[in-house]
Structure formats: structure tokens, C-alpha cells
Amino acid sequence: IYTHPPTGGKQRQARTRTPSENHQKEICSQLGHVHLKLLYKATVHGYTASAFHQQCDSLSPTVSVGYNVSGYIFGGYTRQPFNQSGQYANDDRAFLFTFEGRKLIKYPVANAAYAVRMMNNCGPYFGESLVLVHTGKPIVYSNAASYYPFNAAQMHGNDLNLIDCEVFQVTKFEDPWRTVTWNLEHKLELMNYIENYKPLISSVSQARILLIGPVGVGKSSFFNSINSVFRGHVTNQAVSGCSSTSLTTQFRTYSLKAGREGRLLPVILCDTMGLESSNDTGLDIEDITSILKGHLPDCYQFNPAAPLDPEASGYRKSPSLKDKIHCVTYVLDACNISIMPTKMEEKLSAIRKKANHLRIPQLVVLTKVDAACSLVKEDLTTVYQSIYIKEIMQQASTKLGIPLSCIVPVRNYTETLDLDVNCDILLLSAITQMLRWADNFYDDFSDQLSALQTRE
């Protein structure tokens, strides 16, 4: 069930109210195994018929919801796509509804031939009985004696003043578009793969994975979450939390252990200062080049005002292959992909070019997928059934120029104290992909070395 606000239009200064997840679940329970995708929000797009039709025409089925000043949540459902023909549309399954607490009260259509009227000068128009966004104003038209018999006091308390109106498209669950086995056995298989992984080049004992992303996306939390899986309980080794500026101020390299006193795992996660949109704050692009080439020492203190000085203490002037980055992973917040600032896109593009020039494979990890889609929040195993999550991944693919096959969703451990098998599987799958991408780096390095030796 999706409640993300669409972008575009001028935001009205109004007290907003949205249905709780329980309200949305109750609506969906009446319609089958479905979820809701927000198409139109009056306080964002405007209380105009043109804005409504621009966002909603030709899409169906839909649920239209009004929120009035008195706190009532009410609306209607129809299978017919909205248009501007002026004609009535037949729909024997249309109904109006309201809530008494969490309980959904339905008012089925009494005359299906007049279920919905396709008017060009108003919002959702349910058979002369209920019109949301009437006359271009946040006002409801209501007529309880028409084609949907209802009790006006029960439906909306006779309060016709809206504080918002939303229209959702009803979408069915898709078959999972990626196959995942959600059980403990698969988790253990993934852990075993990671624990026994060996880089393809003998001089390298651990794959070095660089985590890059904007401030607050969860880079440090991602390491903590992976570390938690192998420790068997939630940990917080890397500094993480909520802040408008990066909590990570040093270049840190973190090794993973198989258990509290176990052996080191064959992977190192390199954490960096968060990226910021402005050029004079956050991680410097030139510092990233030094990281990719293996010049930066662990615990290097970032200085956004100036890149690393080659004469600085600890600077590796001749890094070996084991010091270099073998896979770049962009960590992004699934909730913010659609509103990513242009300057942030430009920074990520610049990093992409540097990584491509050095022939370093790149991957995207999308965090906070449970916050982006309440369906996934309720059941993490639906992450590859959620149309919205797939759309977000496609947006990330377009913005970064990275194939969809190189993008993986995860949920970090930021609230709970206990581990969850399904959460672990997504986290371990992400690490597995990073190791496979690192193998691509080693293969390419070996091919270049062989070509060089052949020429000699």
C-alpha cells in the first residue's frame, strides 16, 4: 500500500490528514489481494479538475478518498477509468464508504448504470451522490438521496469542507520478478558462501568494497547490519544515526568476523563521509579518486575544503592491488530517489565516470525499502512483488545509469533488537552480489595483465 506524496505542483498550506495503514488495509481487504498507488493529492497538485484529470485519467480501478475538517475519512471505489466525456459509466461493483473507527462502512451503488459520471469540471464524481473537489474548491458535493443511498451524518458528519483529497490506483500483486528463497536454510547458504569466498587473485585476501552515498542514507548502518548478521545479534560498531551532516568524518575500513571471536571474513567494507549537494561540504570528489586507487589510509580525516595531500602522513604512494577498491557500492535511500537534487545526481555521475575509467564494477544498494512501501514494511518478502519498489529501482537505474540487475534492496537494523531471517537474506544477498562484482574486477585485471604480457 503506497502513501508516498507525488511530486509537482504548488504545495497548499493546509492541515493534512492521511488514512492509517489499518484504514488502507481495510479498504484493500474489500478488493482482494491488492495494494494502492497514489495518483493525485489535492494539497500537492491543486484542487482543480484539470490537475485531477491530468493525474488520473485512463487509470483504473481507483479509490478516491476525502478528508474533511471534522476528521472523517470517506470516498468511493470504481473500476471505470476516469475521463472527460460527460457521460455516465456503468459499474455494478462501485461503492461509497466511510469509517467508524477502523471499521469500513460500505454504501453499494443502487443503480449501476449511473455509478460514475465523467465530468471535466470537477474531481471524482460518483453518480450525483458524492463529488470530491467540486467547483475547483476544497468542497464536497453530497446528495444522500441519489444513486448511492447513504447516511450523510454517518459518512462525513455533514461537513463538506475538505482538507485534502487523494486518488489511488488499485493494483494487484505481481508475481515476484526476482526469485528469492525466504527461509533459514537459504540464509545459512548465503553465510557459508561469504565465509568461504576467496578472491580470484592470490595476492588479495579480502575484497575491498567502497560504500558511497548521500548523508543519512544508511551507509554505516549497512555495515552494522551485516556485522549483526554474522555476530548473531544487533551491533553498532560504526557510528550511525540521524543528522543533517555526515556522522562519518573519517575514511574507515571495517572487517567482518564470523562470530564474536571468529576468523576474519574475506571482505572489507570501506565507509566514507556522506555526499552533500553543495561543492564545499561533504566528501570531496578528488578524495574519492584517492580512495579508489588505494592511496587513503584507514582513519584518514576528511577535509571537505581540500582533497588529500600526497605528502600527508599515511598516504600510500604505491598502493598494491589489495589496497585498491574492487567494487563501488552506491548506497541510496529508497524514499528519496524521486526527489534527488540535480547537484547530487551530478556528483554521483562524476564518481561513476571515475570508477568506469578505473574499470571498477559498481552496484547500488537501496536502503529503507520498508519505509518507502508500507506493504514491504508489513511483509519484507513482498519486496520483489511491490510495483512501487520496482519503480524506485528503475528510477535509480535511470538516474545513475546503472542496469537494474545491479540494484539490490535492503532493510538495515535501525530499530529492532532481534535479528530477522528475511532481513538477513536481503543483506547477505547484497554482500554476495558485491563479491561477485569484485570477481569481475579480478577477471578484468587478469585479462589486462595477460594482454600486457602478450605484447611484451
Side-chain angles (χ1 to χ4, degrees):
I1 305 167
Y2 310 147
T3 58
H4 63 290
T7 57
K10 186 176 181 180
Q11 180 79 32
R12 285 176 56 96
Q13 297 300 315
R15 180 166 59 94
T16 59
R17 191 187 309 267
T18 57
S20 70
E21 290 183 15
N22 289 321
H23 288 133
Q24 295 184 44
K25 290 176 187 176
E26 188 65 24
I27 293 173
C28 289
S29 70
Q30 302 292 321
L31 305 174
H33 197 46
V34 301
H35 50 168
L36 305 178
K37 177 181 178 181
L38 185 61
L39 300 175
Y40 165 79
K41 185 176 180 68
T43 52
V44 172
H45 293 109
Y47 285 93
T48 65
S50 60
F52 159 73
H53 285 292
Q54 182 178 8
Q55 299 297 322
C56 303
D57 277 6
S58 303
L59 300 174
S60 65
T62 55
V63 173
S64 302
V65 188
Y67 314 92
N68 68 14
V69 175
S70 299
Y72 286 78
I73 300 174
F74 57 98
Y77 164 81
T78 178
R79 294 177 299 161
Q80 294 289 349
F82 292 111
N83 60 59
Q84 302 176 56
S85 67
Q87 303 298 312
Y88 282 99
N90 188 309
D91 186 355
D92 60 359
R93 296 187 185 178
F95 62 86
L96 300 183
F97 64 86
T98 190
F99 284 93
E100 288 187 351
R102 295 181 180 179
K103 182 181 178 182
L104 181 74
I105 308 297
K106 288 176 62 175
Y107 309 101
V109 63
N111 190 332
Y114 298 93
V116 186
R117 192 172 185 184
M118 306 302 179
M119 301 297 289
N120 65 359
N121 62 349
C122 61
Y125 192 118
F126 292 91
E128 310 290 348
S129 295
L130 183 71
V131 183
L132 299 172
V133 187
H134 183 51
T135 65
K137 298 178 181 179
I139 298 174
V140 176
Y141 171 83
S142 175
N143 180 3
S146 193
Y147 300 121
Y148 294 83
F150 63 88
N151 184 316
Q154 181 186 45
M155 175 184 270
H156 47 59
N158 291 310
D159 179 358
L160 304 182
N161 298 300
L162 290 179
I163 60 171
D164 208 350
C165 173
E166 294 175 330
V167 178
F168 299 86
Q169 184 179 17
V170 179
T171 57
K172 293 183 178 180
F173 287 122
E174 294 185 335
D175 292 333
W177 55 280
R178 281 184 184 169
T179 302
V180 179
T181 303
W182 302 99
N183 58 36
L184 179 60
E185 182 180 0
H186 185 52
K187 170 188 169 177
L188 296 176
E189 289 173 353
L190 292 170
M191 292 180 71
N192 183 65
Y193 173 85
I194 295 168
E195 290 172 0
N196 293 287
Y197 169 83
K198 290 183 179 180
L200 297 174
I201 296 179
S202 59
S203 62
V204 177
S205 60
Q206 292 175 295
R208 289 174 71 90
I209 312 298
L210 177 63
L211 305 179
I212 296 178
V215 171
V217 296
K219 298 188 307 300
S220 300
S221 294
F222 176 73
F223 163 75
N224 287 334
S225 298
I226 290 293
N227 199 33
S228 298
V229 177
F230 285 98
R231 288 296 182 92
H233 60 85
V234 174
T235 66
N236 194 42
Q237 180 180 344
V239 176
S240 63
C242 299
S243 176
S244 58
T245 58
S246 182
L247 292 175
T248 302
T249 61
Q250 295 180 324
F251 174 64
R252 293 304 315 271
T253 59
Y254 293 106
S255 293
L256 298 166
K257 287 185 178 181
R260 188 166 181 266
E261 297 181 357
R263 64 182 178 84
L264 288 177
L265 297 181
V267 59
I268 294 176
L269 296 181
C270 304
D271 197 9
T272 61
M273 189 176 188
L275 296 173
E276 297 189 39
S277 296
S278 60
N279 293 327
D280 57 348
T281 57
L283 183 61
D284 188 281
I285 296 296
E286 292 308 314
D287 277 343
I288 293 177
T289 301
S290 297
I291 295 171
L292 296 177
K293 294 181 177 181
H295 293 303
L296 254 64
D298 188 26
C299 297
Y300 166 72
Q301 185 71 41
F302 291 111
N303 179 5
L308 174 66
D309 184 347
E311 302 303 320
S313 175
Y315 182 88
R316 298 190 191 99
K317 293 187 177 182
S318 300
S320 63
L321 185 63
K322 67 180 179 62
D323 299 318
K324 297 179 180 180
I325 296 301
H326 309 144
C327 172
V328 172
T329 297
Y330 303 97
V331 184
L332 302 176
D333 182 342
C335 299
N336 295 331
I337 295 296
S338 63
I339 57 173
M340 181 185 294
T342 300
K343 289 186 177 180
M344 181 59 69
E345 286 188 47
E346 292 172 352
K347 275 196 173 183
L348 291 171
S349 176
I351 296 168
R352 282 267 293 144
K353 290 179 181 178
K354 292 181 181 296
N356 287 339
H357 179 71
L358 296 171
R359 305 173 74 91
I360 302 174
Q362 296 152 74
L363 191 74
V364 175
V365 165
L366 282 184
T367 63
K368 307 180 184 180
V369 291
D370 54 326
C373 177
S374 55
L375 166 70
V376 176
K377 183 176 182 179
E378 181 182 351
D379 183 358
L380 196 58
T381 65
T382 62
V383 66
Y384 289 123
Q385 290 177 279
S386 168
I387 295 174
Y388 182 46
I389 294 300
K390 187 174 183 180
E391 288 178 355
I392 292 174
M393 293 173 67
Q394 290 170 333
Q395 289 174 358
S397 173
T398 300
K399 287 179 180 292
L400 272 72
I402 290 180
L404 193 61
S405 59
C406 300
I407 302 175
V408 292
V410 301
R411 185 182 74 187
N412 290 335
Y413 285 113
T414 57
E415 297 179 358
T416 61
L417 296 177
D418 299 312
L419 299 184
D420 174 77
V421 170
N422 297 327
C423 184
D424 294 348
I425 286 172
L426 288 182
L427 291 163
L428 293 167
S429 296
I431 292 292
T432 299
Q433 291 304 108
M434 293 175 197
L435 295 178
R436 290 172 177 169
W437 262 236
D439 279 345
N440 294 336
F441 176 83
Y442 305 138
D443 285 337
D444 187 67
F445 177 82
S446 297
D447 291 344
Q448 291 183 70
L449 187 60
S450 296
L452 181 62
Q453 292 171 342
T454 300
R455 286 197 298 269
E456 293 177 349

